[in-house]
Amino acid sequence: MAKRRIGILTSGGDCPGLNATIRGVAKACYNFIGEDKVEIIGISDGFHGLIHNECKEMKPSDFSGILTQGGTILGTRRTPYKMMQIIEDDNIDKVAEMKQTYKNRKLDCLLTLGGNGTHKTANLLSEEGLNVIGLPKTIDNDIWGTSVTFGFHTAVDIGTEVVDRIHTTANSHSRVMVIEIMGNKAGWLTLYTGVAGGADIILIPEIPYDIDKVAKAVESRAKAGKSFSILAVAEGCMDIEESKMKKKDRMRIRNENGYNTATVRIAKDIERITGYETRTVVPGHMLRGGSPSAYDRVLATKFGARAAELIVEEKYGYTVAKIGTEIGENKLSDVTMKTKFVPLDDKVVKAARDIGISFGD
Ligand code: F6P
């Protein structure tokens, strides 16, 4: 019998847990199907490798010793979904080339590890007739239909350590510290990092802020004898006026005023209104680096093993998900083109409000 040929790629921004998931899929496939009956083809740099036929046959030993490794052994790249069906100057029909590579490499299925953009392209390829299975990766935790994505909790741990460290220096200098946290358009990472790190004010895109209320929260702390304040600010957060604008208008106005991020403006405004010395901190890509946490290693292993079961069942057109307490899957077509935002009645938001954390609203 011909070997089952499984293509695997990682696409979009990296995060801790990609290698742990790749390992989980591979080891479970070898176990379920038999090492001699399965061939895993690693595709380099995400969809770029699929378009350009940059692939290599992997050995079982390639999947050993990578559980704890950050990044991705396959490499990754951003190949935006919106450009997938557009022929650019290089005259390459990307969708046709991806289908050709799949055919030439005699793949039985393709596993795509990625975030929202990756899921859109995965769904497109599935609609084009390829056997695709998705796996939900992102520090942003914003994929529809799964309560958690791998990479998120490690980023929360790293963010929390940043906030912890900022606490001591903020205290020594009696400063207001504004910490910008990644997360794209969703506030999950900032919310969890802020609560875990004991931030005093948390600003997320889902809850537009009023700068006067933010400043008031800082002043109330000062009146209560607290000489410093910590703000966890999502990179995508907006004030109430901005939240009513289209993104391009928001960005234009910010640029005209000399701020490309909300963080810098928030810090300047707090300093102007309250008179307190303020600093900004941007941990940026550090939130995505290094070894996955224990939680993410376990989640990645469970997700990977479930993907292998889907391969055995030949259940394609799905993406693995955590649904309630179980690991299951959702149809790619159901999750694509959606974003999982923090609901206003989220229990963590409520707990934060209950203990007096301000959301600036
Ligand atoms: O989607 C993950 C993420 O880290 C976002 O939180 C952030 O906005 C973006 O990627 C940064 O992208 P890049 O690595 O391309 O700078």
Side-chain angles (χ1 to χ4, degrees):
M1 209 180 92
K3 284 186 176 184
R4 294 283 293 277
R5 294 178 62 82
I6 301 163
I8 184 161
L9 62 80
T10 54
S11 178
D14 72 344
C15 75
L18 280 165
N19 290 327
T21 308
I22 294 169
R23 168 184 176 269
V25 177
K27 290 200 176 221
C29 281
Y30 291 138
N31 262 339
F32 295 161
I33 309 169
E35 262 188 35
D36 52 339
K37 296 192 186 69
V38 61
E39 193 78 68
I40 299 182
I41 292 91
I43 299 161
S44 305
D45 301 335
F47 293 111
H48 174 87
L50 194 59
I51 296 165
H52 297 277
N53 192 21
E54 289 164 15
C55 314
K56 88 167 200 200
E57 292 189 353
M58 315 278 287
K59 305 180 295 299
S61 59
D62 291 327
F63 303 106
S64 281
I66 62 169
L67 173 66
T68 60
Q69 242 180 57
T72 161
I73 57 167
L74 299 173
T76 188
R77 193 178 286 206
R78 290 196 187 277
T79 316
Y81 168 75
K82 63 176 184 217
M83 301 308 289
M84 281 297 176
Q85 286 159 298
I86 292 174
I87 313 248
E88 296 176 80
D89 293 346
D90 56 10
N91 216 19
I92 292 173
D93 181 337
K94 301 179 200 69
V95 176
E97 292 300 324
M98 288 193 279
K99 286 165 75 176
Q100 198 56 48
T101 302
Y102 183 95
K103 200 170 155 213
N104 289 348
R105 295 277 175 175
K106 297 187 172 55
L107 298 184
D108 292 300
C109 67
L110 172 69
L111 298 193
T112 61
L113 283 64
N116 278 323
T118 304
H119 277 74
K120 289 180 194 164
T121 301
N123 185 52
L124 171 69
L125 294 176
S126 171
E127 285 173 348
E128 289 283 327
L130 307 192
N131 295 329
V132 185
I133 296 170
L135 281 144
K137 157 245 75 163
T138 169
I139 63 165
D140 303 342
N141 194 32
D142 60 352
I143 298 180
W144 187 265
T146 183
S147 58
V148 69
T149 54
F150 64 85
F152 172 65
H153 278 289
T154 307
V156 171
D157 291 347
I158 300 166
T160 302
E161 187 174 349
V162 171
V163 180
D164 287 350
R165 288 182 182 276
I166 291 301
H167 254 105
T168 61
T169 172
N171 195 1
S172 312
H173 287 267
S174 301
R175 281 174 175 159
V176 177
M177 301 298 282
V178 184
I179 308 169
E180 180 179 294
I181 306 289
M182 277 188 173
N184 200 8
K185 295 178 196 153
W188 295 105
L189 187 53
T190 306
L191 175 64
Y192 277 67
T193 298
V195 171
D200 309 299
I201 298 161
I202 297 177
L203 303 181
I204 60 175
E206 293 86 345
I207 307 176
Y209 66 87
D210 172 341
I211 193 64
D212 290 323
K213 293 197 173 148
V214 173
K216 206 162 169 205
V218 170
E219 277 164 347
S220 306
R221 274 180 58 80
K223 280 198 195 106
K226 308 277 171 53
S227 68
F228 70 94
S229 285
I230 307 278
L231 284 84
V233 170
E235 62 176 349
C237 80
M238 294 164 259
D239 69 20
I240 293 167
E241 283 312 306
E242 286 181 320
S243 71
K244 296 175 193 153
M245 295 176 194
K246 292 213 168 85
K247 185 178 173 193
K248 70 172 185 351
D249 295 328
R250 190 165 65 236
M251 296 320 284
R252 181 181 45 78
I253 291 170
R254 280 188 191 175
N255 284 333
E256 279 168 11
N257 289 313
Y259 315 118
N260 47 10
T261 68
T263 318
V264 176
R265 186 189 54 202
I266 289 164
K268 294 223 157 135
D269 283 346
I270 291 174
E271 202 162 78
R272 176 177 53 77
I273 300 169
T274 66
Y276 298 127
E277 194 179 21
T278 305
R279 293 282 189 276
T280 55
V281 180
V282 184
H285 291 80
M286 267 189 275
L287 297 165
R288 280 183 9 203
S291 185
S293 65
Y295 179 95
D296 271 331
R297 293 178 201 184
V298 174
L299 184 69
T301 304
K302 285 159 83 177
F303 276 177
R306 181 64 196 140
E309 283 177 347
L310 294 178
I311 294 170
V312 171
E313 294 165 18
E314 297 185 32
K315 191 171 173 184
Y316 303 123
Y318 285 82
T319 184
V320 177
K322 184 164 186 214
I323 305 167
T325 54
E326 299 299 317
I327 305 297
E329 58 281 339
N330 292 306
K331 278 191 178 156
L332 279 170
S333 56
D334 285 345
V335 308
T336 196
M337 306 292 176
K338 295 178 185 159
T339 304
K340 184 186 72 182
F341 290 110
V342 177
L344 296 183
D345 61 353
D346 180 81
K347 291 194 173 70
V348 181
V349 172
K350 182 178 179 309
R353 289 194 193 277
D354 287 348
I355 65 160
I357 294 175
S358 166
F359 284 84
D361 59 338

mmCIF file of all heavy atoms in Angstrom, residues 91-134:
data_model
loop_
_atom_site.group_PDB
_atom_site.id
_atom_site.type_symbol
_atom_site.label_atom_id
_atom_site.label_comp_id
_atom_site.label_asym_id
_atom_site.label_seq_id
_atom_site.Cartn_x
_atom_site.Cartn_y
_atom_site.Cartn_z
ATOM 1 N N ASN A 91 3.764 37.404 -12.075
ATOM 2 C CA ASN A 91 2.885 36.620 -12.960
ATOM 3 C C ASN A 91 2.565 35.219 -12.439
ATOM 4 O O ASN A 91 2.299 34.311 -13.230
ATOM 5 C CB ASN A 91 3.551 36.530 -14.342
ATOM 6 C CG ASN A 91 2.509 36.578 -15.431
ATOM 7 O OD1 ASN A 91 1.376 37.032 -15.185
ATOM 8 N ND2 ASN A 91 2.844 36.079 -16.611
ATOM 9 N N ILE A 92 2.642 35.056 -11.119
ATOM 10 C CA ILE A 92 2.384 33.719 -10.549
ATOM 11 C C ILE A 92 0.931 33.627 -10.087
ATOM 12 O O ILE A 92 0.469 34.484 -9.329
ATOM 13 C CB ILE A 92 3.349 33.442 -9.367
ATOM 14 C CG1 ILE A 92 4.777 33.317 -9.892
ATOM 15 C CG2 ILE A 92 2.948 32.180 -8.603
ATOM 16 C CD1 ILE A 92 5.827 33.211 -8.808
ATOM 17 N N ASP A 93 0.257 32.588 -10.552
ATOM 18 C CA ASP A 93 -1.096 32.300 -10.051
ATOM 19 C C ASP A 93 -0.903 31.446 -8.789
ATOM 20 O O ASP A 93 -0.668 30.238 -8.865
ATOM 21 C CB ASP A 93 -1.889 31.550 -11.126
ATOM 22 C CG ASP A 93 -3.318 31.243 -10.665
ATOM 23 O OD1 ASP A 93 -3.562 31.198 -9.451
ATOM 24 O OD2 ASP A 93 -4.172 31.021 -11.538
ATOM 25 N N LYS A 94 -0.980 32.095 -7.630
ATOM 26 C CA LYS A 94 -0.581 31.432 -6.375
ATOM 27 C C LYS A 94 -1.451 30.221 -6.061
ATOM 28 O O LYS A 94 -0.943 29.177 -5.651
ATOM 29 C CB LYS A 94 -0.627 32.437 -5.210
ATOM 30 C CG LYS A 94 0.280 33.642 -5.408
ATOM 31 C CD LYS A 94 0.151 34.589 -4.228
ATOM 32 C CE LYS A 94 0.602 35.990 -4.532
ATOM 33 N NZ LYS A 94 -0.240 36.753 -5.471
ATOM 34 N N VAL A 95 -2.758 30.369 -6.252
ATOM 35 C CA VAL A 95 -3.654 29.253 -5.920
ATOM 36 C C VAL A 95 -3.351 28.064 -6.839
ATOM 37 O O VAL A 95 -3.234 26.915 -6.378
ATOM 38 C CB VAL A 95 -5.137 29.695 -6.002
ATOM 39 C CG1 VAL A 95 -6.073 28.515 -5.748
ATOM 40 C CG2 VAL A 95 -5.408 30.816 -4.997
ATOM 41 N N ALA A 96 -3.180 28.343 -8.126
ATOM 42 C CA ALA A 96 -2.883 27.254 -9.081
ATOM 43 C C ALA A 96 -1.558 26.575 -8.714
ATOM 44 O O ALA A 96 -1.446 25.342 -8.747
ATOM 45 C CB ALA A 96 -2.827 27.812 -10.498
ATOM 46 N N GLU A 97 -0.559 27.381 -8.329
ATOM 47 C CA GLU A 97 0.756 26.811 -7.972
ATOM 48 C C GLU A 97 0.661 25.951 -6.711
ATOM 49 O O GLU A 97 1.291 24.895 -6.614
ATOM 50 C CB GLU A 97 1.794 27.923 -7.760
ATOM 51 C CG GLU A 97 2.187 28.676 -9.010
ATOM 52 C CD GLU A 97 2.797 27.784 -10.091
ATOM 53 O OE1 GLU A 97 3.526 26.833 -9.744
ATOM 54 O OE2 GLU A 97 2.525 28.041 -11.274
ATOM 55 N N MET A 98 -0.139 26.409 -5.737
ATOM 56 C CA MET A 98 -0.277 25.616 -4.500
ATOM 57 C C MET A 98 -0.938 24.274 -4.814
ATOM 58 O O MET A 98 -0.523 23.234 -4.301
ATOM 59 C CB MET A 98 -1.084 26.403 -3.448
ATOM 60 C CG MET A 98 -0.302 27.559 -2.859
ATOM 61 S SD MET A 98 -1.065 28.262 -1.384
ATOM 62 C CE MET A 98 -2.290 29.316 -2.092
ATOM 63 N N LYS A 99 -1.952 24.311 -5.682
ATOM 64 C CA LYS A 99 -2.634 23.063 -6.048
ATOM 65 C C LYS A 99 -1.673 22.140 -6.813
ATOM 66 O O LYS A 99 -1.672 20.922 -6.627
ATOM 67 C CB LYS A 99 -3.866 23.375 -6.903
ATOM 68 C CG LYS A 99 -5.003 23.962 -6.073
ATOM 69 C CD LYS A 99 -6.078 24.609 -6.897
ATOM 70 C CE LYS A 99 -6.980 23.625 -7.580
ATOM 71 N NZ LYS A 99 -8.072 24.322 -8.302
ATOM 72 N N GLN A 100 -0.833 22.758 -7.625
ATOM 73 C CA GLN A 100 0.142 21.976 -8.410
ATOM 74 C C GLN A 100 1.164 21.292 -7.494
ATOM 75 O O GLN A 100 1.480 20.121 -7.660
ATOM 76 C CB GLN A 100 0.842 22.926 -9.399
ATOM 77 C CG GLN A 100 1.546 22.214 -10.547
ATOM 78 C CD GLN A 100 0.625 21.294 -11.333
ATOM 79 O OE1 GLN A 100 -0.476 21.689 -11.709
ATOM 80 N NE2 GLN A 100 1.044 20.045 -11.546
ATOM 81 N N THR A 101 1.672 22.051 -6.511
ATOM 82 C CA THR A 101 2.647 21.463 -5.572
ATOM 83 C C THR A 101 1.998 20.306 -4.819
ATOM 84 O O THR A 101 2.603 19.231 -4.658
ATOM 85 C CB THR A 101 3.149 22.527 -4.559
ATOM 86 O OG1 THR A 101 3.717 23.606 -5.286
ATOM 87 C CG2 THR A 101 4.173 21.958 -3.594
ATOM 88 N N TYR A 102 0.773 20.513 -4.373
ATOM 89 C CA TYR A 102 0.032 19.467 -3.642
ATOM 90 C C TYR A 102 -0.043 18.208 -4.518
ATOM 91 O O TYR A 102 0.190 17.094 -4.048
ATOM 92 C CB TYR A 102 -1.366 20.018 -3.328
ATOM 93 C CG TYR A 102 -2.276 19.129 -2.507
ATOM 94 C CD1 TYR A 102 -2.365 19.268 -1.125
ATOM 95 C CD2 TYR A 102 -3.084 18.168 -3.123
ATOM 96 C CE1 TYR A 102 -3.229 18.477 -0.363
ATOM 97 C CE2 TYR A 102 -3.947 17.370 -2.369
ATOM 98 C CZ TYR A 102 -4.015 17.538 -1.001
ATOM 99 O OH TYR A 102 -4.868 16.751 -0.251
ATOM 100 N N LYS A 103 -0.350 18.427 -5.805
ATOM 101 C CA LYS A 103 -0.486 17.284 -6.738
ATOM 102 C C LYS A 103 0.881 16.643 -7.017
ATOM 103 O O LYS A 103 1.054 15.427 -6.912
ATOM 104 C CB LYS A 103 -1.101 17.814 -8.039
ATOM 105 C CG LYS A 103 -1.733 16.748 -8.891
ATOM 106 C CD LYS A 103 -2.520 17.356 -10.030
ATOM 107 C CE LYS A 103 -2.586 16.309 -11.129
ATOM 108 N NZ LYS A 103 -2.600 16.909 -12.459
ATOM 109 N N ASN A 104 1.859 17.488 -7.351
ATOM 110 C CA ASN A 104 3.202 16.961 -7.685
ATOM 111 C C ASN A 104 3.810 16.185 -6.525
ATOM 112 O O ASN A 104 4.495 15.193 -6.727
ATOM 113 C CB ASN A 104 4.165 18.105 -8.030
ATOM 114 C CG ASN A 104 3.828 18.744 -9.354
ATOM 115 O OD1 ASN A 104 3.023 18.200 -10.113
ATOM 116 N ND2 ASN A 104 4.404 19.903 -9.630
ATOM 117 N N ARG A 105 3.558 16.682 -5.314
ATOM 118 C CA ARG A 105 4.120 16.013 -4.129
ATOM 119 C C ARG A 105 3.250 14.856 -3.676
ATOM 120 O O ARG A 105 3.512 14.248 -2.643
ATOM 121 C CB ARG A 105 4.256 17.029 -2.982
ATOM 122 C CG ARG A 105 5.258 18.130 -3.280
ATOM 123 C CD ARG A 105 6.657 17.670 -2.976
ATOM 124 N NE ARG A 105 7.640 18.671 -3.359
ATOM 125 C CZ ARG A 105 8.937 18.576 -3.116
ATOM 126 N NH1 ARG A 105 9.404 17.518 -2.476
ATOM 127 N NH2 ARG A 105 9.765 19.487 -3.508
ATOM 128 N N LYS A 106 2.186 14.605 -4.444
ATOM 129 C CA LYS A 106 1.254 13.482 -4.175
ATOM 130 C C LYS A 106 0.748 13.488 -2.726
ATOM 131 O O LYS A 106 0.735 12.460 -2.041
ATOM 132 C CB LYS A 106 1.934 12.143 -4.484
ATOM 133 C CG LYS A 106 2.319 11.965 -5.945
ATOM 134 C CD LYS A 106 2.823 10.553 -6.192
ATOM 135 C CE LYS A 106 3.052 10.239 -7.638
ATOM 136 N NZ LYS A 106 3.950 11.157 -8.373
ATOM 137 N N LEU A 107 0.354 14.677 -2.275
ATOM 138 C CA LEU A 107 -0.112 14.789 -0.885
ATOM 139 C C LEU A 107 -1.529 14.215 -0.752
ATOM 140 O O LEU A 107 -2.367 14.382 -1.637
ATOM 141 C CB LEU A 107 -0.110 16.253 -0.429
ATOM 142 C CG LEU A 107 1.246 16.971 -0.421
ATOM 143 C CD1 LEU A 107 1.102 18.386 0.142
ATOM 144 C CD2 LEU A 107 2.290 16.198 0.385
ATOM 145 N N ASP A 108 -1.748 13.539 0.371
ATOM 146 C CA ASP A 108 -3.118 13.085 0.696
ATOM 147 C C ASP A 108 -3.844 14.163 1.481
ATOM 148 O O ASP A 108 -5.063 14.216 1.476
ATOM 149 C CB ASP A 108 -3.062 11.798 1.528
ATOM 150 C CG ASP A 108 -2.535 10.643 0.690
ATOM 151 O OD1 ASP A 108 -3.178 10.332 -0.323
ATOM 152 O OD2 ASP A 108 -1.470 10.103 1.029
ATOM 153 N N CYS A 109 -3.071 14.962 2.226
ATOM 154 C CA CYS A 109 -3.681 16.073 2.959
ATOM 155 C C CYS A 109 -2.623 17.107 3.316
ATOM 156 O O CYS A 109 -1.416 16.840 3.205
ATOM 157 C CB CYS A 109 -4.404 15.576 4.205
ATOM 158 S SG CYS A 109 -3.315 14.920 5.452
ATOM 159 N N LEU A 110 -3.123 18.266 3.718
ATOM 160 C CA LEU A 110 -2.260 19.388 4.071
ATOM 161 C C LEU A 110 -2.662 19.926 5.434
ATOM 162 O O LEU A 110 -3.836 20.226 5.655
ATOM 163 C CB LEU A 110 -2.434 20.495 3.010
ATOM 164 C CG LEU A 110 -1.769 21.837 3.298
ATOM 165 C CD1 LEU A 110 -0.244 21.707 3.217
ATOM 166 C CD2 LEU A 110 -2.264 22.889 2.293
ATOM 167 N N LEU A 111 -1.691 20.023 6.351
ATOM 168 C CA LEU A 111 -1.961 20.618 7.667
ATOM 169 C C LEU A 111 -1.424 22.045 7.674
ATOM 170 O O LEU A 111 -0.267 22.274 7.314
ATOM 171 C CB LEU A 111 -1.260 19.839 8.781
ATOM 172 C CG LEU A 111 -1.661 18.381 8.996
ATOM 173 C CD1 LEU A 111 -1.107 17.885 10.311
ATOM 174 C CD2 LEU A 111 -3.154 18.213 8.969
ATOM 175 N N THR A 112 -2.272 22.979 8.091
ATOM 176 C CA THR A 112 -1.852 24.378 8.137
ATOM 177 C C THR A 112 -1.935 24.873 9.572
ATOM 178 O O THR A 112 -3.003 24.882 10.170
ATOM 179 C CB THR A 112 -2.756 25.244 7.227
ATOM 180 O OG1 THR A 112 -4.095 25.154 7.694
ATOM 181 C CG2 THR A 112 -2.694 24.810 5.785
ATOM 182 N N LEU A 113 -0.790 25.260 10.128
ATOM 183 C CA LEU A 113 -0.750 25.783 11.492
ATOM 184 C C LEU A 113 -0.680 27.295 11.393
ATOM 185 O O LEU A 113 0.292 27.835 10.861
ATOM 186 C CB LEU A 113 0.491 25.268 12.240
ATOM 187 C CG LEU A 113 0.468 23.826 12.764
ATOM 188 C CD1 LEU A 113 0.386 22.821 11.635
ATOM 189 C CD2 LEU A 113 1.688 23.544 13.608
ATOM 190 N N GLY A 114 -1.732 27.981 11.874
ATOM 191 C CA GLY A 114 -1.693 29.432 11.741
ATOM 192 C C GLY A 114 -2.855 30.119 12.402
ATOM 193 O O GLY A 114 -3.696 29.491 13.049
ATOM 194 N N GLY A 115 -2.900 31.437 12.193
ATOM 195 C CA GLY A 115 -3.941 32.267 12.788
ATOM 196 C C GLY A 115 -5.065 32.544 11.799
ATOM 197 O O GLY A 115 -5.309 31.760 10.881
ATOM 198 N N ASN A 116 -5.703 33.698 11.962
ATOM 199 C CA ASN A 116 -6.880 33.998 11.147
ATOM 200 C C ASN A 116 -6.581 34.053 9.653
ATOM 201 O O ASN A 116 -7.345 33.520 8.846
ATOM 202 C CB ASN A 116 -7.515 35.315 11.617
ATOM 203 C CG ASN A 116 -8.417 35.084 12.821
ATOM 204 O OD1 ASN A 116 -9.092 34.062 12.907
ATOM 205 N ND2 ASN A 116 -8.422 36.013 13.763
ATOM 206 N N GLY A 117 -5.488 34.703 9.278
ATOM 207 C CA GLY A 117 -5.133 34.805 7.855
ATOM 208 C C GLY A 117 -4.896 33.419 7.261
ATOM 209 O O GLY A 117 -5.389 33.091 6.168
ATOM 210 N N THR A 118 -4.152 32.604 7.997
ATOM 211 C CA THR A 118 -3.852 31.240 7.542
ATOM 212 C C THR A 118 -5.141 30.448 7.359
ATOM 213 O O THR A 118 -5.288 29.690 6.387
ATOM 214 C CB THR A 118 -2.956 30.539 8.592
ATOM 215 O OG1 THR A 118 -1.799 31.341 8.780
ATOM 216 C CG2 THR A 118 -2.560 29.142 8.158
ATOM 217 N N HIS A 119 -6.077 30.622 8.294
ATOM 218 C CA HIS A 119 -7.343 29.888 8.196
ATOM 219 C C HIS A 119 -8.144 30.300 6.963
ATOM 220 O O HIS A 119 -8.835 29.486 6.368
ATOM 221 C CB HIS A 119 -8.170 30.056 9.486
ATOM 222 C CG HIS A 119 -7.742 29.084 10.552
ATOM 223 N ND1 HIS A 119 -6.573 29.229 11.257
ATOM 224 C CD2 HIS A 119 -8.311 27.933 10.990
ATOM 225 C CE1 HIS A 119 -6.449 28.214 12.105
ATOM 226 N NE2 HIS A 119 -7.489 27.415 11.962
ATOM 227 N N LYS A 120 -8.032 31.570 6.578
ATOM 228 C CA LYS A 120 -8.738 32.015 5.367
ATOM 229 C C LYS A 120 -8.175 31.294 4.146
ATOM 230 O O LYS A 120 -8.928 30.785 3.311
ATOM 231 C CB LYS A 120 -8.578 33.529 5.183
ATOM 232 C CG LYS A 120 -9.358 34.358 6.186
ATOM 233 C CD LYS A 120 -9.127 35.840 5.919
ATOM 234 C CE LYS A 120 -9.612 36.678 7.097
ATOM 235 N NZ LYS A 120 -9.078 38.037 7.070
ATOM 236 N N THR A 121 -6.855 31.247 4.043
ATOM 237 C CA THR A 121 -6.250 30.572 2.886
ATOM 238 C C THR A 121 -6.496 29.066 2.960
ATOM 239 O O THR A 121 -6.741 28.415 1.937
ATOM 240 C CB THR A 121 -4.742 30.900 2.804
ATOM 241 O OG1 THR A 121 -4.609 32.309 2.680
ATOM 242 C CG2 THR A 121 -4.077 30.218 1.619
ATOM 243 N N ALA A 122 -6.468 28.503 4.178
ATOM 244 C CA ALA A 122 -6.741 27.062 4.337
ATOM 245 C C ALA A 122 -8.148 26.748 3.820
ATOM 246 O O ALA A 122 -8.365 25.765 3.101
ATOM 247 C CB ALA A 122 -6.622 26.678 5.807
ATOM 248 N N ASN A 123 -9.092 27.615 4.148
ATOM 249 C CA ASN A 123 -10.474 27.399 3.695
ATOM 250 C C ASN A 123 -10.568 27.536 2.172
ATOM 251 O O ASN A 123 -11.261 26.756 1.507
ATOM 252 C CB ASN A 123 -11.406 28.391 4.385
ATOM 253 C CG ASN A 123 -12.847 28.127 4.046
ATOM 254 O OD1 ASN A 123 -13.331 27.000 4.176
ATOM 255 N ND2 ASN A 123 -13.557 29.135 3.562
ATOM 256 N N LEU A 124 -9.838 28.496 1.642
ATOM 257 C CA LEU A 124 -9.824 28.685 0.178
ATOM 258 C C LEU A 124 -9.317 27.411 -0.510
ATOM 259 O O LEU A 124 -9.922 26.913 -1.464
ATOM 260 C CB LEU A 124 -8.922 29.888 -0.162
ATOM 261 C CG LEU A 124 -8.598 30.140 -1.625
ATOM 262 C CD1 LEU A 124 -9.830 30.600 -2.391
ATOM 263 C CD2 LEU A 124 -7.514 31.219 -1.747
ATOM 264 N N LEU A 125 -8.209 26.861 0.005
ATOM 265 C CA LEU A 125 -7.643 25.646 -0.597
ATOM 266 C C LEU A 125 -8.591 24.463 -0.422
ATOM 267 O O LEU A 125 -8.696 23.598 -1.305
ATOM 268 C CB LEU A 125 -6.273 25.335 0.014
ATOM 269 C CG LEU A 125 -5.179 26.363 -0.304
ATOM 270 C CD1 LEU A 125 -3.886 26.012 0.415
ATOM 271 C CD2 LEU A 125 -4.934 26.459 -1.806
ATOM 272 N N SER A 126 -9.282 24.426 0.711
ATOM 273 C CA SER A 126 -10.259 23.363 0.949
ATOM 274 C C SER A 126 -11.399 23.479 -0.081
ATOM 275 O O SER A 126 -11.816 22.487 -0.684
ATOM 276 C CB SER A 126 -10.764 23.494 2.383
ATOM 277 O OG SER A 126 -11.831 22.652 2.622
ATOM 278 N N GLU A 127 -11.851 24.703 -0.315
ATOM 279 C CA GLU A 127 -12.912 24.905 -1.320
ATOM 280 C C GLU A 127 -12.422 24.573 -2.725
ATOM 281 O O GLU A 127 -13.202 24.223 -3.596
ATOM 282 C CB GLU A 127 -13.418 26.358 -1.267
ATOM 283 C CG GLU A 127 -14.311 26.599 -0.054
ATOM 284 C CD GLU A 127 -14.696 28.056 0.147
ATOM 285 O OE1 GLU A 127 -14.115 28.942 -0.511
ATOM 286 O OE2 GLU A 127 -15.579 28.301 0.998
ATOM 287 N N GLU A 128 -11.108 24.686 -2.926
ATOM 288 C CA GLU A 128 -10.512 24.337 -4.226
ATOM 289 C C GLU A 128 -10.314 22.833 -4.354
ATOM 290 O O GLU A 128 -9.725 22.348 -5.324
ATOM 291 C CB GLU A 128 -9.162 25.047 -4.389
ATOM 292 C CG GLU A 128 -9.278 26.544 -4.593
ATOM 293 C CD GLU A 128 -9.695 26.929 -6.014
ATOM 294 O OE1 GLU A 128 -9.326 26.216 -6.951
ATOM 295 O OE2 GLU A 128 -10.415 27.938 -6.155
ATOM 296 N N GLY A 129 -10.710 22.076 -3.334
ATOM 297 C CA GLY A 129 -10.682 20.614 -3.446
ATOM 298 C C GLY A 129 -9.534 19.915 -2.730
ATOM 299 O O GLY A 129 -9.420 18.693 -2.789
ATOM 300 N N LEU A 130 -8.645 20.674 -2.041
ATOM 301 C CA LEU A 130 -7.556 20.013 -1.314
ATOM 302 C C LEU A 130 -8.075 19.516 0.039
ATOM 303 O O LEU A 130 -9.019 20.067 0.595
ATOM 304 C CB LEU A 130 -6.377 20.964 -1.092
ATOM 305 C CG LEU A 130 -5.790 21.690 -2.306
ATOM 306 C CD1 LEU A 130 -4.464 22.345 -1.937
ATOM 307 C CD2 LEU A 130 -5.602 20.764 -3.493
ATOM 308 N N ASN A 131 -7.424 18.480 0.561
ATOM 309 C CA ASN A 131 -7.793 17.943 1.878
ATOM 310 C C ASN A 131 -7.004 18.705 2.946
ATOM 311 O O ASN A 131 -5.820 18.429 3.154
ATOM 312 C CB ASN A 131 -7.453 16.454 1.965
ATOM 313 C CG ASN A 131 -8.277 15.641 0.997
ATOM 314 O OD1 ASN A 131 -9.413 15.997 0.689
ATOM 315 N ND2 ASN A 131 -7.709 14.554 0.496
ATOM 316 N N VAL A 132 -7.650 19.657 3.584
ATOM 317 C CA VAL A 132 -6.930 20.553 4.504
ATOM 318 C C VAL A 132 -7.427 20.371 5.940
ATOM 319 O O VAL A 132 -8.629 20.201 6.176
ATOM 320 C CB VAL A 132 -7.115 22.035 4.083
ATOM 321 C CG1 VAL A 132 -6.277 22.962 4.954
ATOM 322 C CG2 VAL A 132 -6.765 22.237 2.613
ATOM 323 N N ILE A 133 -6.485 20.409 6.881
ATOM 324 C CA ILE A 133 -6.819 20.423 8.311
ATOM 325 C C ILE A 133 -6.053 21.588 8.946
ATOM 326 O O ILE A 133 -4.833 21.723 8.751
ATOM 327 C CB ILE A 133 -6.415 19.093 9.000
ATOM 328 C CG1 ILE A 133 -7.232 17.922 8.423
ATOM 329 C CG2 ILE A 133 -6.608 19.184 10.527
ATOM 330 C CD1 ILE A 133 -6.754 16.560 8.861
ATOM 331 N N GLY A 134 -6.760 22.428 9.692
ATOM 332 C CA GLY A 134 -6.120 23.569 10.335
ATOM 333 C C GLY A 134 -5.778 23.293 11.792
ATOM 334 O O GLY A 134 -6.349 22.406 12.430
#
